[in-house]
Amino acid sequence: MIDSDDDLMFADDDSDHEEVPIPKKLGAWKVILVDDEAAVHKVTTLALDGFTFDGMGLEFFHAYTAVEGRKLILDNPDTAIILLDVVMESEHAGLEFAKFIREEAGNKLSRIILRTGQPGQAPEREVIQKYDINDYKEKTELTSQKLFTLMYASLRSYRDIIALETNKKGLERVITSSADIFALKNIRLFTEGVLSQLTSLLHLDSAAAYMKADGLALSNDGEDLKVMAGTGEYASFVGQDAKTVLKQDILEDVQHAIRTEKGCYREDRFTGFFSSPNGSFNVLYLSGLKPMSELDQSLMEVFLRNIAIAYENIDLHQEVEETQREIVYMLGEAVETRSKETGNHVKRVAEISKVLALGYGLDEETAEIIKLASPLHDVGKIGIPDAILNKPGKHTPEEWEIMKTHAILGYDMLKSSNKRILQASAIIARDHHERWAGGGYPFNISGEKIHLFGRITAIADVFDALGNERCYKKAWPRDQIFALLQEERGKQFEPRLVDVLMSKLDEIDDICARYSDV
């Protein structure tokens, strides 16, 4: 402790302190002063008046006891530096506070500088070994120049540690998303992770955005450009039209990059452009730039090029998947056309099956698999003779036995595939005519022995078939369909699925209207 302002005087130094010119001041570094002497607070703030590091000044928070300091550090976990006295309300209050910061508050990043007027109370060697502090100073040795040097070195250390932490988190996101890079959600997570790494490596603020567009459908003013990933203030813009969410000056930079097909610098921001061979292009926006080296510029170019290639590969992958889905629908429609039904039946069954799957509690991915697989539920009808398949009247027992073989025929056609959709299609083709209470075909199984995929598609198929005209019947009124479902609840259909269907009628009606045969 000290007794007067004079005991902590900062001597004038001859050396000059020149800051690297920064285009724009971005904010302030938080500094907590914990000392029981008001004079220490006053002299320290005066000595550091006008101090800047990396384009940012200092914001001071004052505590006169360790108890007050605890509240400040909990309220401000992003504090850069803590200037901490040892002897306050007790002989070791400062040391106990340092331990609190690291252990109870869990703050490993803030730089703790121990300042003491009574070094005998806390010997330097013992304190450094026992406590996780970053520097130890006697108050009498801190001249104005030495305080400046101390703050500069500590802030540089804090900045670099924060950059490492950001890089670590960004890398974690990249690794996590790389496990399933072809999922759209994960490619965005991947891109955001790399954005975080890039901004931290370049010591930028956290605001960055990555945008993508299909060059064939895009005008030269940036129309239809989508924000694919973002950090900071742009994180909430993902999936939105860049033209509607970006500020006008940023949008002008983006449009300029698109028109000229090259990146551009504007004071403290950068807009990068990269086109791919398939006609699409990508735009990267970074804010908070400082004067950049050639290496920094290369980092940005490498980022943009590689993420653009990743997105291009995703597009190709998704195009293959879309082609597979379209082929499944077309094959399902071909089967329905052969049996003189419309292709809309398979579309309705597919969409209704997904609604039922989600209502049953299945996850989105599994529900989507059921939706994509269900159009092939009757693919085995390809092997049924036309005379039997399209007979307008009732089948004879012999004809009915032939008709029932379409379940196994469909299963046999699809079972050898190692593709998830076709594997699911094989199961649905086999099981969708089984009955919950038994008595169905082809294996006369019951209950949960019937695969859930088959149970779901079965009720979707019957519901839609009853509600639409077939070659052998008229469309049923809704009240009759509901009566049949209740009658067959626990017999033909799983009770829970009947309940789910009845609870989702609004969604199902929308599907029926969207894919109406009329």
Side-chain angles (χ1 to χ4, degrees):
M1 292 186 294
I2 58 174
D3 296 321
S4 70
D5 293 7
D6 295 334
D7 290 325
L8 184 64
M9 295 298 294
F10 296 104
D12 291 330
D13 296 294
D14 295 332
S15 57
D16 294 323
H17 321 309
E18 292 187 4
E19 275 277 30
V20 176
I22 302 298
K24 182 180 179 182
K25 186 175 180 178
L26 301 174
W29 304 101
K30 291 185 178 181
V31 178
I32 294 180
L33 283 172
V34 187
D35 200 298
D36 61 351
E37 293 291 339
V40 175
H41 291 261
K42 179 180 178 181
V43 173
T44 302
T45 52
L46 285 173
L48 293 173
D49 183 42
F51 177 94
T52 60
F53 171 75
D54 220 13
M56 297 165 60
L58 303 178
E59 180 182 5
F60 289 99
F61 296 84
H62 299 273
Y64 296 87
T65 66
V67 173
E68 292 177 1
R70 292 187 182 207
K71 185 177 186 308
L72 280 179
I73 194 64
L74 291 175
D75 291 342
N76 300 277
D78 56 341
T79 295
I81 294 177
I82 301 163
L83 296 172
L84 178 60
D85 191 13
V86 176
V87 182
M88 291 179 286
E89 62 263 52
S90 68
E91 289 186 353
H92 297 98
L95 297 179
E96 291 168 1
F97 179 42
K99 188 175 181 181
F100 170 85
I101 293 169
R102 299 304 192 209
E103 296 181 4
E104 294 186 45
N107 186 325
K108 305 295 185 184
L109 304 180
S110 297
R111 304 293 85 193
I112 301 175
I113 301 170
L114 205 64
R115 301 194 303 176
T116 180
Q118 301 180 37
Q121 292 292 119
E124 182 174 352
R125 179 175 296 185
E126 179 182 336
V127 169
I128 288 290
Q129 289 176 334
K130 188 174 180 181
Y131 296 90
D132 183 11
I133 64 171
N134 305 106
D135 211 336
Y136 182 106
K137 299 292 182 185
E138 293 184 29
K139 293 177 181 178
T140 53
E141 70 176 296
L142 281 176
T143 64
S144 176
Q145 170 62 29
K146 288 183 178 179
L147 184 61
F148 174 91
T149 302
L150 175 67
M151 295 297 290
Y152 213 95
S154 298
L155 286 172
R156 181 182 286 129
S157 172
Y158 177 76
R159 179 200 64 187
D160 292 344
I161 289 171
I162 291 296
L164 288 171
E165 280 294 306
T166 306
N167 264 328
K168 177 184 174 183
K169 291 177 181 177
L171 183 59
E172 286 174 353
R173 292 160 79 183
V174 170
I175 293 171
T176 300
S177 58
S178 295
D180 189 11
I181 194 69
F182 290 107
L184 184 58
K185 176 182 177 181
N186 281 342
I187 185 63
R188 288 175 179 171
L189 186 66
F190 171 80
T191 309
E192 287 168 5
V194 181
L195 268 179
S196 296
Q197 288 191 302
L198 182 66
T199 54
S200 64
L201 282 171
L202 301 178
H203 298 303
L204 310 181
D205 66 18
S206 61
Y210 179 78
M211 293 158 274
K212 182 178 182 297
D214 183 351
L216 300 177
L218 189 75
S219 62
N220 64 1
D221 64 352
E223 188 177 356
D224 296 327
L225 188 70
K226 300 294 181 185
V227 178
M228 302 305 293
T231 59
E233 64 182 290
Y234 302 112
S236 60
F237 295 162
V238 173
Q240 298 186 54
D241 186 346
K243 207 168 187 179
T244 63
V245 296
L246 295 182
K247 295 176 183 177
Q248 186 59 37
D249 57 342
I250 299 173
L251 185 61
E252 288 174 1
D253 285 353
V254 170
Q255 292 169 337
H256 176 77
I258 293 170
R259 283 195 300 271
T260 60
E261 298 189 357
K262 58 178 152 181
C264 64
Y265 287 90
R266 290 265 198 267
E267 297 178 350
D268 65 335
R269 59 185 189 262
F270 168 77
T271 308
F273 176 90
F274 179 78
S275 61
S276 59
N278 69 355
S280 67
F281 60 80
N282 308 265
V283 178
L284 169 68
Y285 171 76
L286 298 171
S287 64
L289 289 181
K290 303 169 181 62
M292 300 184 67
S293 66
E294 290 185 7
L295 177 60
D296 290 340
Q297 294 180 40
S298 296
L299 277 174
M300 289 193 295
E301 291 172 3
V302 168
F303 163 82
L304 190 58
R305 185 180 304 111
N306 287 317
I307 296 300
I309 291 170
Y311 269 104
E312 186 174 354
N313 289 337
I314 296 301
D315 286 342
L316 292 173
H317 177 80
Q318 290 179 337
E319 185 176 343
V320 170
E321 282 198 339
E322 286 298 322
T323 301
Q324 291 175 339
R325 295 175 186 181
E326 190 171 339
I327 290 172
V328 168
Y329 268 118
M330 291 174 67
L331 184 55
E333 289 174 3
V335 172
E336 295 300 321
T337 301
R338 182 169 178 269
S339 59
K340 298 185 178 179
E341 307 299 342
T342 70
N344 282 337
H345 170 65
V346 296
K347 293 176 182 176
R348 291 191 298 265
V349 170
E351 296 290 345
I352 293 171
S353 294
K354 182 174 181 179
V355 168
L356 295 178
L358 292 172
Y360 196 87
L362 300 184
D363 60 83
E364 176 72 29
E365 183 179 3
T366 304
E368 184 70 12
I369 290 292
I370 295 173
K371 169 189 167 181
L372 298 174
S374 64
L376 295 181
H377 63 279
D378 277 336
V379 69
K381 288 181 178 179
I382 290 175
I384 305 299
D386 286 346
I388 296 175
L389 183 64
N390 293 315
K391 184 177 180 178
K394 187 176 181 179
H395 291 106
T396 66
E398 294 79 12
E399 290 171 338
W400 181 238
E401 289 302 315
I402 294 173
M403 187 68 180
K404 288 194 297 183
T405 62
H406 82 273
I408 284 297
L409 286 174
Y411 175 70
D412 288 340
M413 288 179 192
L414 303 169
K415 68 180 181 181
S416 60
S417 174
N418 60 0
K419 304 300 181 187
R420 287 190 303 168
I421 294 175
L422 295 183
Q423 287 175 344
S425 296
I427 292 168
I428 290 171
R430 181 193 66 197
D431 286 6
H432 78 289
H433 284 297
E434 299 287 0
R435 296 173 61 89
W436 180 255
Y441 64 89
F443 298 123
N444 189 22
I445 54 178
S446 61
E448 294 189 357
K449 291 180 180 178
I450 307 167
H451 197 286
L452 179 57
F453 291 5
R455 303 192 318 254
I456 288 173
T457 305
I459 191 170
D461 183 33
V462 170
F463 178 84
D464 188 72
L466 293 176
N468 291 276
E469 187 172 338
R470 293 289 179 96
C471 63
Y472 51 86
K473 71 166 191 68
K474 297 291 185 181
W476 284 28
R478 270 297 178 87
D479 58 346
Q480 290 185 27
I481 297 175
F482 296 153
L484 177 73
L485 290 175
Q486 293 302 325
E487 181 182 340
E488 293 297 328
R489 185 179 184 275
K491 297 177 183 178
Q492 181 173 356
F493 307 118
E494 178 183 354
R496 183 179 168 189
L497 281 170
V498 173
D499 297 340
V500 170
L501 186 145
M502 298 302 293
S503 70
K504 299 290 183 180
L505 284 175
D506 288 343
E507 293 179 53
I508 291 171
D509 286 343
D510 288 342
I511 292 168
C512 293
R514 193 159 67 246
Y515 297 107
S516 173
D517 291 331
V518 179

